[in-house]
Every structure is written in C-alpha cells, then in structure tokens.
C-alpha cells in the first residue's frame, strides 16, 4: 500500500498559504459578503476532492513527524507574527497563568474523568484480559490533546478594536495553551 501523505501534505500547506493570502485580501478590500473562514472551508473541500480523485482508493496515513515538522510550525509562526507585542507583554501574567496552569488543570481533570470512565465501563474486561479498552497511557495522551483549547471562535467575537485587552489575553492564552499541550503530549509519548 502506497503512502500518499507527502503529496497530501504539500497540498495542505498550499491550502494554508492560499487561505492566508485570501484572508489578507478580504481584510484589505473590506469584503463584507465573504468571510475568510468560508474561503478556508471551500479550499479544504477543493483539496479533499482533488486528493480523492488523484489517490482514489488509496489509504493516506497520518504521519506524526510530518505534522510536527511541516504543518505545526507555519501555524505557530502565523500566530506569533500576528501577536500584538505591547498588549502581550502588558498582560503576560494573566496569559501565562491561564495558558500554563489552566492547561495543566484541564489535563488533570480530563485524564481523571477519562480514567474513571474507562475503569467503570471496562473494569471487568480489564481484570479478565478480554475486550478492547483504553490503556491508562492512552487516556493521558487523549487528555493532552483535549486540554488544548481553541480560541478562534471567541476571537472572532471579541475583536481587537473593541476589546483590545481581552483579545490580547485570549489570543496569548491560546498560543501558550497550544505550546503547553504539545509539550505535554510529547512528554507523555516519550515516557510511553
């Protein structure tokens, strides 16, 4: 079975670049009938259609290394590039408190709930060695992924023009939260 991840990765990076350029054009020309998220959805549909036609029937397997090397850095670079440095530094204590401690609290809470539900649901099968269950390490990995919050929807409502301080705190927390969640995931993965 061929792995077509590399060509799909190139198309995905191209889609992200197209999305960034389209968003800048929409913002520059004050286009009110088209939102940049619509362009992203349509670009994703077009890429999915193209990949389905070219690689019909092929299994495209996810490459964790490709994600961490090629997809994640442009996302983090774009977030850091658009960061308002003055507001970020002014509110750094709130941003780090929410970004680091909030992520750790969410990770502990989610992993505790997942472990409890897993033991409750599959406790008998776990003791007898039968059935499919989630291992405790897998519960921790899932919790590390789920503790990363996405502030995109909130930031579209809390604009920098009207609520500059709240916007900078939410944006900075989102950036720090993502970094902490990635570090947690990689740390748990290395321990496994």
């Amino acid at each position: 079975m061929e792995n077509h991840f590399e060509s799909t990765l190139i198309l995905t990076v191209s889609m992200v670049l197209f999305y960034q350029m389209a968003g800048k054009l929409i913002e520059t020309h004050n286009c009110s009938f088209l939102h940049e998220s619509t362009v992203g959805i349509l670009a994703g549909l077009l890429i999915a259609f193209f990949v389905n036609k070219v690689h019909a029937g092929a299994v495209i397997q996810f490459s964790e290394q490709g994600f961490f090397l090629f997809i994640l850095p442009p996302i983090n670079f774009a977030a850091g590039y658009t960061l308002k440095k003055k507001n970020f530094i002014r509110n750094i204590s709130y941003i780090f408190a929410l970004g680091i401690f909030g992520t750790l609290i969410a990770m502990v809470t989610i992993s505790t709930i997942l472990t409890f539900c897993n033991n409750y649901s599959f406790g008998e099968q776990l003791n007898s060695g039968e059935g499919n269950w989630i291992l405790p390490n897998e519960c921790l990995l899932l919790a590390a992924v789920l503790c990363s919050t996405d502030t995109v929807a909130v930031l579209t409502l809390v604009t920098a023009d009207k609520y500059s301080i709240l916007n900078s705190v939410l944006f900075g927390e989102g950036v720090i939260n993502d970094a902490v969640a990635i570090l947690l995931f990689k740390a748990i993965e290395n321990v496994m």
Side-chain angles (χ1 to χ4, degrees), residues 12-177:
T12 304
V13 171
S14 301
M15 181 189 72
V16 170
L17 291 173
F18 173 75
Y19 172 72
Q20 290 292 326
M21 289 186 297
K24 192 64 173 172
L25 282 172
I26 289 171
E27 181 182 328
T28 304
H29 296 297
N30 292 330
C31 184
S32 61
F33 66 90
L34 185 66
H35 194 269
E36 64 184 89
S37 61
T38 306
V39 173
I41 291 170
L42 293 175
L45 286 171
L46 184 66
I47 295 292
F49 178 75
F50 182 72
V51 167
N52 192 20
K53 288 295 182 188
V54 171
H55 304 299
V59 175
I60 300 172
Q61 294 189 350
F62 179 76
S63 169
E64 180 182 323
Q65 184 179 9
F67 175 76
F68 281 110
L69 291 177
F70 298 110
I71 296 177
L72 195 59
I75 295 170
N76 288 341
F77 177 73
Y81 184 72
T82 59
L83 183 70
K84 307 288 186 216
K85 294 168 194 67
K86 186 177 177 182
N87 286 335
F88 182 82
I89 298 299
R90 186 180 300 147
N91 300 306
I92 200 156
S93 59
Y94 299 119
I95 292 169
F96 275 111
L98 292 170
I100 295 172
F101 299 118
T103 306
L104 292 174
I105 290 169
M107 162 79 181
V108 169
T109 304
I110 293 170
S111 63
T112 303
I113 292 170
L114 284 173
T115 305
F116 174 76
C117 291
N118 187 42
N119 290 339
Y120 181 76
S121 299
F122 300 109
E124 295 173 12
Q125 294 175 353
L126 200 81
N127 294 332
S128 66
E130 300 173 1
N132 296 325
W133 60 86
I134 302 172
L135 298 174
N137 291 343
E138 292 171 344
C139 286
L140 289 175
L141 283 174
L142 182 60
V145 170
L146 294 177
C147 75
S148 175
T149 59
D150 189 15
T151 57
V152 173
V154 176
L155 287 174
T156 58
L157 298 175
V158 180
T159 60
D161 300 336
K162 292 182 182 178
Y163 311 100
S164 62
I165 294 173
L166 183 58
N167 183 282
S168 66
V169 169
L170 287 172
F171 187 79
E173 184 273 335
V175 172
I176 300 297
N177 177 275

